[in-house]
Amino acid sequence: MQDNATEVTAAGIARLAGVGRAAVSNWRRRHADFPRPVGGTETSPAFALAEVEEWLRRHRKLAEVPLKERVWQQLAGHPDGPVTALVHAGCALLLIHDRPPVWLDISSGTDERLAALLPTALDEVLTPRVPGTARPGRTDRSRVNGQNPVNTQPAATPVTPATPATPATQATPATPPTPALAIPTAPRLLPSVPLLRGVAELAADRGARPTFEFLLGRHLDANPRQYTLTPPDLAGLMAALASTPATVLDPSCGTGALLRAVADRPDRRLHAQDSSPELAALTALRLALHTRAPVHAAAGDTLRADAYPGLRADAVLCHPPFNERNWGHDDLAYDPRWEYGFPARTESELAWVQHALARLRDGGTAVLLMPPAVASRRSGRRIRADLLRRGALRAVVALPAGAAPPYSVPLHLWVLRRPDRTHAQPELLLVDAGRFTAEGRGGPDWPGVREAVLDAWGAFDRDGGVEERPGVARSVPVIELLDDDVDLTPARRLPPPADTDGAGRLADVRARLDETLRLTAELAPPPAEPVPSAASGRLPLTTVGELARAGALVMRTGGHGGRARVPVLTDHDVLAGTAPSGTLPESEEEPVLTEPGDVVLPVLGGGAVARVVDDATAGAVLGRNLVLLRPDPAALDAWFLAGFLRGTANHRQASSYASTATRLDVRRLQLPRLAPDEQRRYGERFHALDAFERALREAGRLGEQLVRGMYDGLTDGTIAPD
């Protein structure tokens, strides 16, 4: 059953039909029967999805809307918003995952029957899986605080927490924490029923958990500025530093990446809180689908209204918000959590550090992601000093740039432990993993980062110290750090990396540069010879769109998710001519894999670039903002295709321009109609130009490496000036 209330934007129509937005605008102008807008704004109208699907089929623009795309459009165009739709879908998927016969029974009748029976079924599955879930008309406040009362009470009479904060020590929060999930009522569920049926159909093919991950990933990808995500590799490293705790808290849970990365064990209990009610709800559902462990989740400002004041967890994992000024400085001056000093207004991160320590049992471990300025700001030096003296701060790890947003900043990990004994000669482990920064935008060398950090932490945690590794790791006596600045930046305390053969290494770079320059000279194209005017008549042209319709090539667009740990070819890789370096959100969405002979083009940015996939790049996932053309070898030569698509004039006539971006409509790109032999002549010349271009890039890279190495060697004394 199609939901007539579901709306779709012009961008959604373009995705459904596999065309650019310019084509959708053209359809609206040329076809009087194109569906009229039903919502949105004048500049960004919205259309009824059912009407759009019918029009596309009638005009043979679309044979059938894929199920996953139809479900996504229903979710994105939900009348109550995509977050509400995603929460309803997650609730239904949890019921399908845990009790499929119940779902089959209640979904067999009318939409009204399904909406009426679903709340009761959700109560039976959500209450044990997500303790504290609010039933319609009541709020179980005691469960939010981690307790298990015998009877539930109305919201007007909340149960007193086990460890209440007295007015003398903590200001009463303006907005108390609330349960992350509330079972929706039948009237709220009724508009979602068509979506839930589609979600169930998708889950029958993919599974309940992958279906939710796909929908959540698409929602996060569609709203990148609204959410700060913790990359899976970083979450895995932080969870590994915490070992295998039974009780884990994330007081700023976001989308639940950190708790999802914790190693499973039979007695595990998860606690999550976030100031965003929508993120708290999505995290609760995501974790419930991921694990059988109880998931305690709450929505509320953690620093002002802690949902778990009596909790003593084995581990706290946290990616807190950075550089917050309105974190509660004026309200929380006498809060008992500030055992190591009252944080300054500009030191919100040190408030999160002390909150994490306050929620740990003695000997428990906390791992927090921190901006690097926290290690050296003068306003926080007294708290840093006290954390060191009492043995609470155990390690500071400098991550490579690109590990997490903001990607241009090399963030830090702080590993803390709630003191359970006094260290006679306390030391701090400092690790600098900056050497594992990878070229391109694909993030750092995570296997290298993980090995270096966990090896150093394992030895330090076991022996109380670590063998010094210049430039990488060192355990520093705390007494050395307690100066006027208490600067804990690893790079300032580690000896420089040993380079006993700097001159030899540079000699090797110089030899490779000489060879590359020789090759570049050999590959330089011969002098261009103009075509005689009598022979320069205009060739008959065709377009990529016409070739696709004729079956001479297949056109695919980059995805929004894919299999874990598969290299992703990004638009930056295509522009820079580098190896696949990207990542995509992990999902069960079927990725587009490149094959030798494919031609890949970026659609944003205005650069006249087309890359032919070789054996080294084949098998990579096609990333976002890329279009792949797979020519039929019997009809099109790949190098001929790529060469003509790179023409500047060709790109100019096929591009649309906005105030801040240029978008390429690949279907409008033109190339001449030539016989196969003539195509191969052009293709050989284009292939030779590509080899010359690659050699120039390599020469530039080696030249920069040689110059930087010479500067470093001369300044650090490893190379003589004469």
Side-chain angles (χ1 to χ4, degrees):
M1 176 179 175
Q2 180 63 57
D3 182 11
N4 291 322
T6 301
E7 299 176 2
V8 61
T9 63
I13 298 173
R15 180 179 290 278
L16 285 171
V19 298
R21 291 187 62 177
V24 178
S25 299
N26 199 26
W27 293 342
R28 293 184 63 195
R29 289 194 301 268
R30 291 173 52 193
H31 297 277
D33 63 337
F34 193 87
R36 300 294 181 187
V38 297
T41 64
E42 184 175 347
T43 57
S44 180
F47 307 83
L49 177 60
E51 296 178 6
V52 168
E53 286 186 37
E54 195 278 331
W55 187 91
L56 291 173
R57 292 193 186 95
R58 188 169 66 248
H59 288 264
R60 298 184 179 180
K61 308 291 186 184
L62 183 70
E64 181 61 44
V65 179
L67 175 61
K68 64 178 183 179
E69 196 62 40
R70 175 160 53 86
V71 170
W72 165 248
Q73 293 297 345
Q74 287 179 311
L75 187 147
H78 193 280
D80 291 332
V83 174
T84 297
L86 193 53
V87 171
H88 290 179
C91 289
L93 286 169
L94 186 59
L95 178 63
I96 293 168
H97 181 269
D98 281 12
R99 303 186 182 184
V102 175
W103 168 261
L104 292 174
D105 176 50
I106 65 174
S107 63
S108 60
T110 65
D111 288 358
E112 290 74 12
R113 178 177 181 270
L114 174 56
L117 296 179
L118 190 54
T120 301
L122 291 178
D123 188 11
E124 294 175 356
V125 72
L126 280 172
T127 301
R129 297 297 305 281
V130 187
T133 298
R135 296 180 174 88
R138 57 179 70 227
T139 302
D140 190 353
R141 288 290 313 286
S142 61
R143 291 191 179 185
V144 172
N145 290 285
Q147 310 304 314
N148 291 302
V150 176
N151 300 311
T152 58
Q153 299 184 17
T157 314
V159 177
T160 302
T163 310
T166 64
T169 59
Q170 183 173 356
T172 302
T175 305
T178 60
L181 283 175
I183 297 172
T185 60
R188 292 294 304 276
L189 285 169
L190 188 58
S192 300
V193 169
L195 167 67
L196 301 186
R197 293 190 186 278
V199 165
E201 187 179 350
L202 193 60
D205 179 52
R206 292 168 168 254
R209 183 187 305 163
T211 296
F212 186 75
E213 289 294 326
F214 160 70
L215 295 174
L216 176 62
R218 284 286 291 267
H219 174 68
L220 297 176
D221 189 64
N223 302 276
R225 296 185 179 181
Q226 293 185 22
Y227 306 103
T228 300
L229 305 181
T230 307
D233 289 301
L234 175 58
L237 174 61
M238 294 174 67
L241 287 168
S243 189
T244 56
T247 305
V248 192
L249 167 68
D250 185 347
S252 180
C253 63
T255 59
L258 292 175
L259 293 176
R260 188 169 177 261
V262 176
D264 202 2
R265 54 184 287 177
D267 58 343
R268 186 173 66 172
R269 297 181 303 280
L270 304 178
H271 294 75
Q273 183 172 353
D274 199 276
S275 59
S276 167
E278 64 183 52
L279 286 179
L282 295 177
T283 291
L285 290 167
R286 188 183 195 188
L287 294 175
L289 281 163
H290 178 72
T291 178
R292 299 298 303 183
V295 179
H296 302 265
D301 185 329
T302 296
L303 295 181
R304 287 189 174 93
D306 182 14
Y308 311 105
L311 180 66
R312 295 297 176 263
D314 298 314
V316 175
L317 302 176
C318 186
H319 178 174
F322 297 161
N323 302 318
E324 277 198 334
R325 297 301 177 95
N326 185 28
W327 58 267
H329 178 272
D330 295 337
D331 302 328
L332 304 173
Y334 301 102
D335 196 287
R337 289 172 291 184
W338 315 141
E339 295 182 43
Y340 303 88
F342 181 39
R345 189 182 302 276
T346 57
E347 294 287 355
S348 63
E349 296 87 2
L350 291 179
W352 285 98
V353 164
Q354 296 191 74
H355 173 80
L357 286 168
R359 294 296 159 264
L360 286 174
R361 64 166 176 80
D362 290 346
T365 303
V367 184
L368 284 84
L369 184 67
M370 307 289 277
V374 183
S376 58
R377 279 194 299 240
R378 289 190 61 80
S379 54
R381 66 187 186 278
R382 292 184 179 178
I383 295 178
R384 293 196 299 271
D386 207 29
L387 289 169
L388 291 174
R389 290 191 192 96
R390 298 171 61 179
L393 181 58
R394 306 299 295 140
V396 176
V397 177
L399 297 169
Y407 290 107
S408 60
V409 178
L411 301 174
H412 288 181
L413 288 179
W414 282 26
V415 184
L416 303 109
R417 183 158 288 163
R418 184 170 180 84
D420 57 350
R421 59 189 175 87
T422 302
H423 295 266
Q425 295 180 333
E427 296 190 349
L428 176 71
L429 174 66
L430 297 176
V431 180
D432 188 351
R435 63 187 294 185
F436 298 103
T437 302
E439 296 182 3
R441 297 189 304 178
D445 172 15
W446 278 112
V449 173
R450 186 179 178 92
E451 180 180 3
V453 173
L454 294 182
D455 283 354
W457 170 250
F460 179 81
D461 193 35
R462 181 181 61 252
D463 305 327
V466 66
E467 183 178 350
E468 184 176 291
R469 295 177 58 191
V472 178
R474 177 191 175 202
S475 55
V476 183
V478 164
I479 193 64
E480 292 185 19
L481 301 169
L482 296 177
D483 54 18
D484 289 340
D485 296 322
V486 197
D487 191 336
L488 308 181
T489 305
R492 295 173 184 164
R493 302 286 181 174
L494 293 174
D499 190 356
T500 58
D501 192 25
R505 180 174 50 83
L506 291 179
D508 179 64
V509 172
R510 175 59 188 265
R512 291 163 56 200
L513 177 60
D514 290 342
E515 177 64 21
T516 304
L517 290 173
R518 183 190 62 78
L519 177 63
T520 304
E522 293 177 359
L523 293 173
E529 298 182 3
V531 177
S533 58
S536 59
R538 183 173 177 83
L539 296 171
L541 299 176
T542 186
T543 66
V544 169
E546 291 172 350
L547 290 170
R549 286 192 290 272
L553 58 82
V554 175
M555 189 168 82
R556 304 289 300 277
T557 57
H560 290 258
R563 303 164 188 161
R565 302 193 180 281
V566 177
V568 175
L569 185 68
T570 69
D571 54 348
H572 181 271
D573 300 330
V574 174
L575 292 168
T578 55
S581 64
T583 58
L584 286 174
E586 182 180 347
S587 76
E588 291 301 312
E589 181 177 356
E590 190 64 27
V592 179
L593 301 180
T594 58
E595 297 179 2
D598 290 342
V599 178
V600 180
L601 301 89
V603 296
L604 295 179
V609 176
R611 176 171 174 177
V612 178
V613 175
D614 55 17
D615 290 335
T617 307
V621 175
L622 189 69
R624 292 169 288 188
N625 301 322
L626 290 177
V627 170
L628 179 147
L629 304 178
R630 183 164 294 159
D632 180 356
L636 281 174
D637 180 83
W639 285 104
F640 160 78
L641 174 64
F644 272 97
L645 297 187
R646 288 191 63 169
T648 302
N650 201 2
H651 266 249
R652 187 178 298 121
Q653 64 85 26
S655 296
S656 58
Y657 302 92
S659 58
T660 58
T662 302
R663 186 172 186 88
L664 178 69
D665 185 352
V666 176
R667 290 175 178 269
R668 293 171 54 189
L669 288 170
Q670 300 173 337
L671 63 158
R673 297 178 183 271
L674 295 178
D677 289 344
E678 191 69 9
Q679 288 185 33
R680 282 190 286 273
R681 284 185 58 217
Y682 276 99
E684 290 172 359
R685 189 64 181 273
F686 288 137
H687 196 175
L689 283 174
D690 180 78
F692 176 62
E693 184 179 35
R694 289 173 182 266
L696 283 176
R697 283 201 186 103
E698 180 67 6
R701 187 184 68 81
L702 290 171
E704 291 179 1
Q705 187 176 345
L706 179 62
V707 170
R708 172 49 51 197
M710 290 295 296
Y711 271 111
D712 290 344
L714 288 168
T715 55
D716 63 22
T718 58
I719 296 177
D722 50 358

